[in-house]
Structures are given as structure tokens and as C-alpha cells.
């Protein structure tokens, strides 16, 4: 009978049944049950994104599948069905008996979501094995009852399950999903490993201090086959993600779509993060609470605040129009007068008082104004809106000249006593005049009502405070210069003001004007000329993103002011040219970039730290390379990892290995392929502009500390979470002062 029954079943079944395809037994995880009876439990680990990792992760995932088959009927079509609540609680309880997991809401939610995936996979497996043929199409005959899984499925459940799967609506959905999954554009190639355990594997192999990797890095690695090759289309998506990651802030990434979704041009589904795997959500990744819709009261309060801002803007606009009207009237008066001869002043030479309006309106000196037709200043015409004055008395010794005197290289008013300078018309007052100050919100004493004696007294007090502040901050003569206003202690960007005024009065005010700065061979290992354009200077004045010309000019400043004539520093620190090694050249001419780096490394036989400002296309970061010790210090002001720049890292590693070979160094086998990369916990920028300024200050501080080894937590003397605007302005002051001192800009 048994034989007849088997023959009858064989007659109705296809030739290659799924029973013959499976050679292993039913997975019921008996070892876990035996260990549980012995009171043995398993530890599990979680990563920074609250995903399951570790050696027992796969064991737990398989055990969850077994529990799902035991407690959840295959006829359950919706995992969110409340009728499954007791069965889910049973699964959670059984897992807690064998695995050491915190009994928290977030852990239970993760495990039960994983159980839901196992249930869907179980139902799909039964469908493909018993209800479909080789071509994955539904069979017409009645499928046999899977006796092998009788411990999980009753005959009544099987009949109901078959009826569900043969429903026409289900068949349409199945056909659509089959077509979509039949030929994926970017196929996943890591089997059951999953993104979380793939991330764990990469971090272990690279011995990285990072706790997680960007989604697009994991996405790329998950599509690398066993031979290690990366398809061109996958690499293209990765490169596009690298570019987008430098221009899109974390807030934009969270609010709209991730850089990976943007590069793939696909929507980002809610509740998940593409490229991070099961359990990682936007909320857990970005550590921000979910936004709620504002209440009516909050909307009204916001509307009222906006209305108040609009009213204030209207008032400011009206005030600006009044000031513009007054300025145009002054300009008309200037144009109607003869050359350099102003009707508002007596013709000839008159005693006058000299005022400055920035950063505060104040009397700074006395002298004589020369209101003479056709008068020149140092054989050059006077700038529009200015007259020639001779300086006799200085009341504010730290006052800057409105326009620096290039001939005598004078920028301070106190250095111009007895000489002629150009002074703005509206800041010159004849001795018998009473100067008036524009309306101000400051309710303190007005300068025109304050006696000269009281001004000197205030200045004396301010000078004493200034010397105390500078004395407490400066440790040596090479420390960063800090300039304070005598009274309020506010930073004065005096060299920026002077340089901007100088640019406006020279041919550099014209678009396309350039200046050339010679770079000696000792700086980058070859002689070259750096080009400085008007737009480079405008980027400094307006605090915008910096180009390579400005970065190289600051390197020349560091060389001239720190290393020239100092054998200890010049033999310890060297620079790598950003013009010869950058992202574009690494991709286009990797061999020439490698040859240049190796040549730089071969330039010295002692320990050197090579400072390389690297431009990734739209972001500056700093590499400090010690080729002899084979250590690379990675300083990134946006807290990114070096794994985000694989082309750069590969170039550095290859160059160090070639350098090692050329100097015939013997390296232990354990280190032969292990170049040490150290991520320095340096200050971080809070916008998308400051990266260039951060890199310049990093180089300044590294040279100032005179240490080859950079601490992982950065230098104690400069340790901070973020650089202040004042700290960045100090770097800009040094740049502008260097432009003036080198006489790169002249009238």
C-alpha cells in the first residue's frame, strides 16, 4: 500500500521535486535547547546603529526562524495582526531564555521585526518549492502536502495556504515582484552576511577606530564579488556619493534623501536607511527625534515673529535709503568740484581733526588738510572722496590708516606723523567745526561731546587692558597675534580692512587682475609661481571657500616666518603641493602623483612630517605623513573617515610602499602591509565654508608645537570642539598682513 501510495504521488508530481533538492534536515536548533536545559546562554552584540552583530548573530537569526515556524501559522498574511500578539510574546520569551538580550522596547521591536522577515521568507520558500515549477510559474495541479514539515504545518493550514497563494490578486503581485527582482541593476553579493555584519567585518579588517561606516561605502562593498573586482557602474555611483557627501549637510541628508538615494535616483522608503540593513532607521542613524506638526498656537507665534521681522526690515530699508540719498548728494558735490579741491573745505592749508568710523566713531589725530587743486600724493592722483592731510598729533596709537601708505610701507597712523596720507572727506573736520556722529543705538558718551583729555584717559586704560590680555595669551613671540580694541576688547581685522582698501584703489579692483607669487624649491620640492586673482582676495574678505592659491600663499607665509633660517623646523616639516596631488589628478594621472610623493619622501633621510592640504573636489582636509615611520595623521574638520577617500588613501599607501622599497628598508612581515592611519580628534567646523581656514590653522599649530607625532586627541594647547570666528580671523589677518608686507598689491 505504501508503495502504491508513493507511486500515485509520483505520477502527479513534477520530475524534480523540491524534496529531492533539499539534502539537509529540518532546522530546529536542538543545540540551543540542550544548552538552555543546562542553563547555558549566549551573549549577543549590537553596533552603534542598534543592529545585531557578533559571533552569535547568525545563531540567533536561525533560532528566530525556527520559533516563527513553530508559533506563527503560515496562513497569517499580515504580521501586524493583533491576533498574533500572544505568539509574538511567546517568541520573545523563548529568545530571552537562551540569549542575553536587554528586555527593552527597542530590542524587542528589532527582534520581532526580524521574526516578521523570517515569516515572510518561510511563506515564500513554501510557495516556490511546492506551488511553482522550474520557471517559477504557478503549477496547475494540486500540490502535495509537505510531510517533511508536518511538525510546523497542519493539513488544514496547508489547504488554506494554497488557496491564498492561488488567488488571482496574489498572483499579479507575485508576478510584479518576480519581474522586479529578476535582474537587479546592482546585485547584492554577500549572501546571508547582511550589512551590519559586513560593516563589522570591514572595521575589524581595517582595525579602524570608527564605530560605523557611511551607507554608500557599505553599499559598494556589498556589491564586490569574490574576485574583489568592482564593476564600473558601481564605482560610478560610489564616486558620485563621495562628491555629494561633501556638498550636502547631515540635516539635508536626513530631511530629504540620503546621498546614496540621490546618486541612485530612487526614492528613500520611510523607516529604513538604504545601504545600512535591517534595524537602522533615520531616527536611530541621525539621533534626532521624529518631528511633529506644530500646534495652532505655535503657528500663530511664528507668524507674529515673522511679521515683526518684516516691520523691522522695512524700517532698516527706509533708513538705508536715507543714508544712500545723503551719500549721493555728497558724491554730486565731489564731482562738481575741481580735481582734489573740495568746496566744503577752505582752499589751501587748514588745521583739522581726523576721525575714523570703524569699528567705532572716534577722534584719532590732528593735522593739516591740503585742499589744493591738482594736488598729488606721492606723485599719484588722490583716490576719489579723499584729500591729502599731514599728520601732526596721534590720539589713538593703534589707529589704522584708511589707506595704507605703500611707498613708506606704513599701515598705522602713529607711523605717519610728519608725512602725508589720504583721508576720507567725511572724516576730516576743520578745527572750528563741530563734528557730528551718525545716529547710533549706543547710549554712551558721544565722541564729539567728549574732551580730548577724557579720550586719552580712556585710551590709557584700554592700553593697559590690552597689554594684560596679550601678555596672558602669548607664550612666545611666534604665538598667534591677537588685536583688541582698547575699550571693548573686540577683535579688529585691521590688515583685512587695509588690504581691501588697497585692492579697491589698485588695478586688482578690475576683474581678471592677478598677482604672481614665487614659490621656492624648498617649499614643495620644485620651483613654481602661484597665481593670486581678485576672486581669491574676495574669498578672504567675504569669508568664502578658499582656493589652492590662498592655501599655498599661507604655506609660503609659514615657510618665511617660521622655517626660513630655523634649521630645526625646516628639517622637520615639509609641504606637499595641492596643485600636483589632488582628487582630479589622482583619478586622471595616478602615476605622476605617486612619483611626486615618492620624490618628496626621498628628499630627506631623517624623520619628516609632510603636511599635505588635500582637496577632495569641494572640501579641504589635512594629511600629516611621516613616511619613515609609515604613519599618516588624518585631520578632517567634518569628522569624516579616511575610508571616504579611497583613491587618496590608496595613493598614500602605495607611495609609502614604493618609498620603502627604494630606500631598501626592512619591515617585519606583520607590518609589511599595515601602514598606520590615525584619525586625529581635531576641532570641527559648523558650516560648509570653513574647511580651508581650518586646514591653514592646523598647519600653523602643528609647526608651532614643533612635534613630529600628533596626539590622537590633538594638542592640549589648542584642544577645542570648534574654532571660534576669532581664531579663524587671526589666520586671515596673517594672510592679509603677508600680502601687504610682500607688496603684492600696489597702487
Amino acid at each position: 500500500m505504501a508503495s502504491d501510495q508513493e507511486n500515485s504521488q509520483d505520477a502527479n508530481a513534477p520530475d524534480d521535486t523540491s524534496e529531492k533538492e533539499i539534502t539537509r534536515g529540518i532546522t530546529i536548533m536542538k543545540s540551543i535547547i540542550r544548552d538552555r536545559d543546562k542553563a547555558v546562554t549566549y551573549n549577543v552584540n549590537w553596533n552603534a546603529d542598534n543592529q545585531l552583530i557578533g559571533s552569535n548573530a547568525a545563531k540567533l537569526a536561525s533560532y528566530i526562524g525556527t520559533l516563527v515556524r513553530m508559533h506563527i501559522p503560515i496562513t497569517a498574511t499580515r504580521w501586524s495582526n493583533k491576533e498574533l500578539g500572544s505568539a509574538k510574546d511567546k517568541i520573545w520569551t523563548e529568545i530571552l531564555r537562551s540569549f542575553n538580550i536587554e528586555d527593552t522596547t527597542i530590542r524587542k521591536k528589532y527582534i520581532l521585526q526580524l521574526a516578521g522577515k523570517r515569516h515572510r521568507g518561510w511563506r515564500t520558500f513554501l510557495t516556490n518549492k511546492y506551488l511553482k515549477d522550474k520557471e517559477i510559474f504557478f503549477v496547475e495541479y494540486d500540490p502535495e502536502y509537505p510531510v517533511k514539515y508536518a511538525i510546523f504545518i497542519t493539513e488544514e493550514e496547508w489547504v488554506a495556504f494554497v488557496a491564498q497563494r492561488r488567488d488571482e490578486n496574489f498572483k499579479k503581485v507575485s508576478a510584479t515582484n518576480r519581474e522586479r527582482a529578476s535582474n537587479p541593476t546592482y546585485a547584492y553579493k554577500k549572501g546571508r552576511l547582511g550589512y551590519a555584519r559586513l560593516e563589522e567585518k570591514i572595521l575589524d579588517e581595517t582595525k579602524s577606530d570608527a564605530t560605523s561606516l557611511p551607507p554608500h561605502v557599505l553599499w559598494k562593498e556589498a556589491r564586490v564579488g569574490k574576485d574583489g573586482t568592482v564593476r564600473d557602474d558601481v564605482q560610478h555611483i560610489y564616486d558620485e556619493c563621495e562628491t555629494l557627501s561633501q556638498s550636502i549637510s547631515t540635516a539635508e541628508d536626513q530631511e530629504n534623501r540620503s546621498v546614496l538615494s540621490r546618486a541612485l535616483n530612487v526614492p528613500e522608503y520611510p523607516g529604513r536607511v538604504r545601504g545600512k540593513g535591517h534595524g537602522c532607521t533615520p531616527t536611530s542613524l541621525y539621533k534626532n527625534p521624529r518631528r511633529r506638526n506644530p500646534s495652532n498656537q505655535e503657528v500663530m507665534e511664528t507668524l507674529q515673529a515673522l511679521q515683526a521681522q518684516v516691520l523691522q526690515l522695512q524700517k532698516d530699508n527706509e533708513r538705508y535709503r536715507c543714508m544712500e540719498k545723503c551719500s549721493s548728494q555728497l558724491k554730486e558735490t565731489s564731482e562738481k568740484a575741481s580735481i582734489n579741491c573740495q568746496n566744503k573745505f577752505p582752499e589751501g592749508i587748514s588745521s583739522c581733526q581726523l576721525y575714523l568710523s570703524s569699528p567705532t566713531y572716534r577722534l584719532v589725530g590732528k593735522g593739516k588738510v591740503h585742499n589744493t587743486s591738482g594736488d598729488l600724493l606721492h606723485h599719484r592722483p588722490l583716490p576719489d572722496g579723499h584729500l591729502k592731510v599731514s599728520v601732526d598729533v596721534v590720539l589713538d596709537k593703534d589707529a589704522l590708516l584708511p589707506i595704507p601708505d605703500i611707498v613708506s610701507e606704513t599701515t598705522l597712523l602713529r607711523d605717519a606723523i610728519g608725512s602725508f596720507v589720504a583721508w576720507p572727506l567725511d572724516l576730516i573736520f576743520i578745527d572750528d567745526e563741530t563734528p557730528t556722529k551718525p545716529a547710533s543705538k549706543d547710549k554712551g558718551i558721544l565722541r564729539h561731546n567728549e574732551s580730548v583729555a577724557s579720550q586719552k584717559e580712556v585710551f590709557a586704560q584700554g592700553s593697559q587692558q590690552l597689554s594684560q590680555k596679550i601678555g596672558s595669551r602669548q607664550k612666545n613671540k611666534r604665538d598667534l597675534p591677537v588685536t583688541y580694541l582698547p575699550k571693548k576688547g573686540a577683535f579688529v581685522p585691521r590688515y583685512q580692512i587695509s588690504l581691501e582698501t588697497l585692492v579697491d584703489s589698485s588695478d586688482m579692483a578690475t576683474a581678471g587682475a592677478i598677482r604672481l607669487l614665487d614659490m621656492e624649491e624648498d617649499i614643495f620640492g620644485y620651483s613654481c609661481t602661484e597665481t593670486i586673482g581678485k576672486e581669491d582676495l574676495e574669498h578672504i574678505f567675504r569669508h568664502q571657500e578658499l582656493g589652492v592659491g590662498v592655501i599655498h600663499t599661507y604655506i609660503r607665509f609659514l615657510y618665511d616666518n617660521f622655517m626660513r633660517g630655523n634649521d630645526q623646523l625646516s628639517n622637520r616639516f615639509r609641504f606637499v603641493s595641492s596643485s600636483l596631488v589632488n582628487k582630479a589628478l589622482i583619478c586622471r594621472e595616478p602615476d605622476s602623483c605617486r612619483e611626486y610623493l615618492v620624490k618628496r619622501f626621498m628628499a630627506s633621510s631623517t624623520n619628516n612630517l609632510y603636511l599635505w592640504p588635500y582637496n577632495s573636489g569641494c572640501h579641504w582636509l589635512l594629511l600629516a605623513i611621516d613616511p619613515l615611520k609609515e604613519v599618516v595623521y588624518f585631520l578632517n574638520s567634518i569628522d569624516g573617515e579616511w575610508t571616504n577617500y579611497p583613491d587618496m588613501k590608496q595613493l598614500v599607501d602605495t607611495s609609502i610602499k614604493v618609498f620603502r622599497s627604494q630606500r631598501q628598508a626592512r619591515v617585519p612581515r606583520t607590518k609589511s602591509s599595515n601602514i598606520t592611519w590615525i584619525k586625529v580628534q581635531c576641532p570641527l567646523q559648523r558650516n560648509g565654508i570653513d574647511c580651508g581656514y581650518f586646514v591653514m590653522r592646523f598647519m600653523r599649530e602643528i609647526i608651532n608645537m614643533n612635534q613630529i607625532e600628533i596626539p590622537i586627541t590633538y594638542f592640549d594647547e589648542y584642544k577645542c570642539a570648534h574654532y571660534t570666528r576669532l581664531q579663524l580671523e587671526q589666520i586671515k589677518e596673517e594672510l592679509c598682513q603677508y600680502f601687504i608686507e610682500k607688496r603684492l598689491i600696489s597702487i
Side-chain angles (χ1 to χ4, degrees):
M1 293 294 293
S3 178
D4 292 340
Q5 184 178 0
E6 291 177 358
N7 293 335
S8 176
Q9 291 177 349
D10 291 341
N12 294 328
D15 294 337
D16 58 336
T17 62
S18 299
E19 289 287 351
K20 294 180 181 180
E21 295 173 4
I22 294 183
T23 58
R24 69 177 187 178
I26 302 175
T27 303
I28 57 176
M29 309 296 288
K30 291 182 179 179
S31 61
I32 295 180
I33 305 302
R34 287 194 295 265
D35 288 340
R36 185 190 66 190
D37 295 338
K38 298 176 184 178
V40 175
T41 57
Y42 304 94
N43 294 323
V44 295
N45 300 320
W46 307 85
N47 64 11
D49 298 322
N50 287 318
Q51 294 173 296
L52 188 64
I53 59 173
S55 57
N56 291 322
K59 184 187 290 291
L60 174 56
S62 297
Y63 187 52
I64 291 174
T66 298
L67 293 176
V68 165
R69 297 183 184 192
M70 289 182 178
H71 299 287
I72 306 296
I74 61 174
T75 54
T77 57
R78 295 182 61 85
W79 184 253
S80 59
N81 194 330
K82 294 183 180 180
E83 295 179 358
L84 300 179
S86 59
K88 293 178 182 178
D89 291 338
K90 180 64 175 177
I91 293 174
W92 176 240
T93 302
E94 289 294 323
I95 290 173
L96 292 180
R97 293 177 63 186
S98 299
F99 292 86
N100 296 323
I101 304 176
E102 303 94 329
D103 190 3
T104 59
T105 303
I106 186 173
R107 294 288 184 251
K108 182 177 180 181
K109 180 180 179 181
Y110 178 92
I111 293 297
L112 293 182
Q113 285 180 342
L114 186 57
K117 290 181 63 177
R118 293 291 176 267
H119 183 252
R120 291 192 295 274
W122 169 230
R123 284 160 51 88
T124 301
F125 166 77
L126 293 174
T127 302
N128 293 336
K129 178 177 175 59
Y130 294 100
L131 305 184
K132 294 183 179 181
D133 56 19
K134 289 181 180 181
E135 286 74 27
I136 316 298
F137 292 105
F138 283 93
V139 297
E140 298 296 332
Y141 57 85
D142 292 333
E144 63 181 13
Y145 169 65
V147 180
K148 180 177 181 179
Y149 302 105
I151 61 174
F152 301 135
I153 308 170
T154 65
E155 293 189 17
E156 292 77 9
E157 288 177 343
W158 177 251
V159 172
F161 175 73
V162 172
Q164 290 177 355
R165 293 298 184 173
R166 284 186 165 177
D167 182 76
E168 292 300 324
N169 291 331
F170 175 80
K171 288 184 177 181
K172 291 180 181 179
V173 173
S174 177
T176 302
N177 292 337
R178 181 175 66 252
E179 181 180 359
R180 183 179 60 181
S182 60
N183 188 23
T185 307
Y186 310 100
Y188 178 86
K189 298 184 178 182
K190 296 302 178 182
R192 296 185 60 192
L193 187 63
Y195 282 108
R197 283 187 283 168
L198 173 62
E199 181 180 60
E200 179 188 22
K201 179 181 178 182
I202 296 173
L203 293 177
D204 288 342
E205 291 177 350
T206 58
K207 298 180 180 179
S208 173
D209 296 331
T211 57
S212 63
L213 297 174
H216 65 276
V217 174
L218 288 175
W219 181 87
K220 173 188 173 183
E221 293 298 327
R223 281 146 185 86
V224 177
K226 294 181 179 180
D227 57 355
T229 59
V230 182
R231 284 171 34 187
D232 292 341
D233 54 348
V234 173
Q235 184 65 42
H236 174 72
I237 295 297
Y238 174 82
D239 293 339
E240 188 171 350
C241 289
E242 282 289 284
T243 303
L244 287 173
S245 63
Q246 305 300 327
S247 59
I248 299 177
S249 65
T250 303
E252 290 176 316
D253 197 7
Q254 176 187 3
E255 294 297 331
N256 196 349
R257 291 189 297 166
S258 65
V259 294
L260 181 56
S261 297
R262 293 169 185 263
L264 292 171
N265 194 24
V266 293
E268 187 70 88
Y269 298 107
R272 81 168 198 188
V273 178
R274 188 181 298 275
K276 293 295 284 186
H278 170 71
C280 184
T281 64
T283 301
S284 64
L285 181 64
Y286 300 109
K287 304 298 186 296
N288 286 335
R290 184 177 298 174
R291 290 189 173 184
R292 63 177 181 86
N293 293 329
S295 62
N296 292 336
Q297 182 179 357
E298 291 173 338
V299 171
M300 293 304 299
E301 290 176 354
T302 303
L303 181 60
Q304 292 175 0
L306 291 174
Q307 290 175 343
Q309 292 179 14
V310 171
L311 291 176
Q312 184 63 40
L313 288 173
Q314 290 175 345
K315 293 179 181 179
D316 293 342
N317 187 37
E318 187 65 28
R319 184 163 55 251
Y320 171 77
R321 288 181 178 179
C322 292
M323 294 174 62
E324 192 177 39
K325 183 178 180 181
C326 295
S327 176
S328 62
Q329 291 175 351
L330 177 61
K331 183 177 181 180
E332 290 176 3
T333 303
S334 174
E335 291 175 349
K336 291 178 181 178
S338 59
I339 300 176
N340 301 125
C341 187
Q342 302 297 330
N343 293 334
K344 82 176 270 191
F345 299 103
E347 190 170 354
I349 302 174
S350 307
S351 297
C352 64
Q353 299 176 1
L354 304 176
Y355 280 74
L356 287 178
S357 60
S358 177
T360 59
Y361 194 86
R362 65 200 189 282
L363 175 65
V364 295
K366 292 187 175 184
K368 296 180 178 62
V369 58
H370 295 249
N371 187 29
T372 306
S373 177
D375 203 359
L376 302 175
L377 178 64
H378 304 309
H379 307 290
R380 293 184 177 88
L382 284 165
D384 292 340
H386 291 70
L387 279 179
K388 184 170 74 172
V389 300
S390 57
V391 182
D392 299 331
V393 179
V394 174
L395 302 177
D396 185 347
K397 67 177 183 180
D398 287 329
L400 297 171
L401 290 174
I403 298 180
D405 188 350
I406 301 302
V407 175
S408 60
E409 298 184 355
T410 303
T411 59
L412 294 174
L413 179 62
R414 66 170 182 260
D415 297 330
I417 295 178
S419 63
F420 295 100
V421 296
W423 208 271
L425 294 173
D426 56 342
L427 297 177
I428 303 174
F429 296 93
I430 304 303
D431 272 345
D432 58 357
E433 292 185 34
T434 302
T436 58
K437 176 185 177 183
S440 173
K441 297 180 181 179
D442 189 0
K443 296 183 180 179
I445 300 175
L446 296 180
R447 286 294 182 187
H448 67 271
N449 293 329
E450 185 180 1
S451 66
V452 175
S454 66
Q455 295 176 30
K456 291 181 178 180
E457 182 179 355
V458 171
F459 171 73
Q461 295 173 356
S463 299
Q464 184 178 2
Q465 297 173 1
L466 172 63
S467 60
Q468 291 174 354
K469 290 179 179 178
I470 294 180
S472 62
R473 290 176 62 91
Q474 292 187 339
K475 296 185 177 181
N476 53 63
K477 64 180 181 180
R478 290 185 180 274
D479 205 359
L480 289 171
V482 181
T483 308
Y484 289 92
L485 267 179
K487 185 163 184 170
K488 294 185 178 180
F491 178 78
V492 181
R494 57 183 187 178
Y495 288 107
Q496 295 181 54
I497 297 173
S498 301
L499 181 61
E500 188 169 7
T501 304
L502 193 60
V503 168
D504 291 339
S505 304
S506 69
D507 65 311
M508 287 293 286
T510 305
I514 62 171
R515 290 292 187 271
L516 302 178
L517 177 64
D518 292 332
M519 307 295 285
E520 302 175 18
E521 183 178 356
D522 290 341
I523 300 177
F524 293 133
Y526 68 100
S527 300
C528 61
T529 301
E530 195 62 53
T531 302
I532 307 297
K534 180 179 184 296
E535 63 276 5
D536 293 316
L537 301 176
E538 288 292 336
H539 292 166
I540 300 174
F541 302 148
R542 307 292 176 257
H543 197 84
Q544 297 172 347
E545 297 178 6
L546 300 180
V548 66
V550 175
I551 301 294
H552 280 186
T553 301
Y554 191 76
I555 288 177
R556 173 66 190 272
F557 159 78
L558 294 175
Y559 180 81
D560 286 345
N561 289 272
F562 286 82
M563 301 166 64
R564 188 186 298 278
N566 188 326
D567 293 338
Q568 185 183 32
L569 290 177
S570 60
N571 290 331
R572 179 166 290 183
F573 299 101
R574 298 174 184 268
F575 300 98
V576 173
S577 172
S578 301
S579 298
L580 291 188
V581 192
N582 52 52
K583 180 176 177 60
L585 287 175
I586 291 175
C587 297
R588 190 169 64 248
E589 302 175 16
D591 293 339
S592 63
C593 294
R594 184 183 64 254
E595 291 174 2
Y596 169 68
L597 282 181
V598 174
K599 183 179 179 180
R600 287 298 286 150
F601 296 161
M602 294 293 293
S604 176
S605 59
T606 60
N607 278 101
N608 293 115
L609 198 64
Y610 288 83
L611 303 179
W612 174 22
Y614 174 71
N615 193 310
S616 65
C618 53
H619 173 65
W620 286 100
L621 56 88
L622 180 66
L623 296 179
I625 307 173
D626 186 343
L628 280 179
K629 292 185 178 180
E630 300 189 356
V631 175
V632 183
Y633 298 96
F634 181 78
L635 292 85
N636 192 351
S637 57
I638 60 172
D639 197 26
E641 304 293 336
W642 59 73
T643 53
N644 296 341
Y645 311 94
D647 297 331
M648 174 269 293
K649 183 179 185 302
Q650 182 179 3
L651 172 68
V652 174
D653 289 345
T654 305
S655 300
I656 292 178
K657 291 177 182 178
V658 174
F659 168 66
R660 178 201 302 163
S661 174
Q662 291 190 7
R663 66 186 180 91
Q664 298 180 350
R666 293 184 178 181
V667 181
R669 289 185 178 181
T670 56
K671 192 185 176 184
S672 61
S673 61
N674 184 21
I675 297 170
T676 304
W677 283 72
I678 298 176
K679 179 183 177 182
V680 180
Q681 298 175 17
C682 54
L684 302 179
Q685 65 189 77
R686 288 178 282 192
N687 57 37
I689 298 174
D690 288 343
C691 56
Y693 304 98
F694 273 61
V695 165
M696 291 190 294
R697 185 161 182 117
F698 290 157
M699 293 190 293
R700 176 68 153 82
E701 292 170 347
I702 291 171
I703 295 175
N704 197 51
M705 292 306 299
N706 194 12
Q707 296 182 19
I708 291 290
E709 297 182 0
I710 304 176
I712 295 179
T713 57
Y714 206 51
F715 302 111
D716 291 336
E717 289 81 350
Y718 300 110
K719 190 179 294 184
C720 58
H722 312 279
Y723 283 141
T724 63
R725 185 61 181 265
L726 172 61
Q727 289 172 304
L728 301 184
E729 288 292 336
Q730 292 166 1
I731 298 297
K732 293 166 62 176
E733 277 290 271
E734 288 184 326
L735 259 175
C736 294
Q737 182 181 2
Y738 188 70
F739 276 110
I740 294 174
E741 290 177 349
K742 296 295 290 184
R743 302 183 66 176
L744 292 175
I745 313 299
S746 58
I747 299 177

